[in-house]
Amino acid sequence: MRARARIHAALGDPARLAIVDALTLGDASPGEIAHDLAMPTNLVAHHLKVLREAGLIARTRSEGDRRRTYLRLRPEVLALLVPPPLQGADRVVFVCTHNSARSQLAAALWRDRIGGPVASAGTQPAARVHPRAVRVAHRHGLTLDATGTAHIDDVLDDGDLVIAVCDNAHEDPAAPVRPRLHWSVPDPVRVGTDAAFEAAYTDLEGRIDRLAQVVPHHADQD
C-alpha cells in the first residue's frame, strides 16, 4: 500500500504525468523531455528525481554517445496501481433479487469477456428472465436463457465469489451467504425502458472489465 501511495503521489503533478505519458511511447533523454514538453531543465530534473524515487523510471547510458543517458518507463511499477488480486475465487456467482436482469447480464458478460466458471442466481427468483434483458443481451451478441432463473440456495458452492448486483440482495439478512462484493446497479425493471436496460448493461460491463484485472481466472475452463 505504501508503494502504491508513493506512485500515486508521484503522478499527482500534471508535469510528471506528462513525462510519464511521453515515456510510455518511447525512451528519451532529460534534454529531449525538456524540449518536447517545453519545460526548464532544472524543473525537469526535479520531476525526474521524484519519479525515479517512486520507482517509475530507470536511467540507462547511451551505447553510442556514452555521455548521454536515456530514461525509460518501468511499466511493471505502474502495474502496482491495480488493486491486489482477490483470492479464493473458484467461480463467480452474480446475485440479484429476481435473477431476471442484472445478474443474468453480468454472468453473460463475464462468460463472454473473461471465461471460466460463472453463474447467476436470485434471492427470490422470477419465473423467467425479463424480455428486455434478453433483447439487450442479443443486441450485444450475448445469449440469455429466458427460462434459466435459479434460487441462490440451489447455486452456491464453497469457494464461490459472490457478487450482489442489486442493493436488496446485498442487504437481505435472510440470504444464505454474505456477498463478498456489492455493485449498486440501478434496477432497470423498475424503469421498464430499453434505455434503462442498456444503462445497466453498460454499468455492469465497466465493472466486470475492472474486476477482471484482479480475479484469477482460467480460460481453459470456458
Side-chain angles (χ1 to χ4, degrees):
M1 294 292 286
R2 289 190 181 93
R4 290 171 62 203
R6 282 197 301 272
I7 297 167
H8 279 289
L11 295 174
D13 183 283
R16 291 196 286 273
L17 189 57
I19 292 171
V20 169
D21 285 345
L23 293 176
T24 299
L25 303 177
D27 303 340
S29 69
E32 289 168 337
I33 289 176
H35 177 270
D36 292 344
L37 299 180
M39 289 185 196
T41 55
N42 62 333
L43 185 58
V44 168
H46 164 71
H47 289 313
L48 292 178
K49 181 176 183 291
V50 174
L51 292 171
R52 190 167 60 253
E53 288 176 348
L56 283 162
I57 61 174
R59 203 182 273 265
T60 59
R61 191 166 295 279
S62 167
E63 292 182 350
D65 181 353
R66 300 290 297 173
R67 296 168 298 178
R68 177 176 296 196
T69 60
Y70 290 108
L71 302 159
R72 64 178 178 84
L73 191 65
R74 297 182 62 199
E76 71 276 12
V77 177
L78 278 177
L80 295 176
L81 296 179
V82 176
L86 284 171
Q87 300 300 324
D90 296 337
R91 180 179 64 160
V92 178
V93 178
F94 294 100
V95 177
C96 64
T97 305
H98 300 304
N99 192 214
S100 66
R102 289 165 289 181
S103 57
Q104 294 279 352
L105 289 170
L109 269 163
W110 185 272
R111 191 176 295 111
D112 179 70
R113 298 294 185 84
I114 312 303
V118 63
S120 69
T123 55
Q124 301 171 35
R128 298 177 63 83
V129 178
H130 196 285
R132 291 186 188 273
V134 174
R135 287 202 293 270
V136 75
H138 286 175
R139 281 200 297 272
H140 292 278
L142 306 178
T143 300
L144 297 184
D145 178 1
T147 62
T149 60
H151 193 280
I152 188 172
D153 289 340
D154 300 325
V155 172
L156 288 187
D157 287 327
D158 293 338
D160 287 340
L161 170 59
V162 181
I163 303 174
V165 294
C166 80
D167 298 337
N168 287 331
H170 174 64
E171 298 165 4
D172 186 356
V177 65
R178 178 73 175 174
R180 189 167 172 187
L181 297 177
H182 169 220
W183 296 350
S184 186
V185 180
D187 184 4
V189 176
R190 290 186 179 182
V191 181
T193 64
D194 286 345
F197 280 82
E198 189 68 39
Y201 175 92
T202 301
D203 191 348
L204 292 165
E205 181 181 40
R207 291 174 184 269
I208 285 172
D209 286 344
R210 293 192 295 274
L211 180 64
Q213 301 177 55
V214 297
V215 173
H217 54 277
H218 306 283
D220 58 352
Q221 295 181 1
D222 290 4

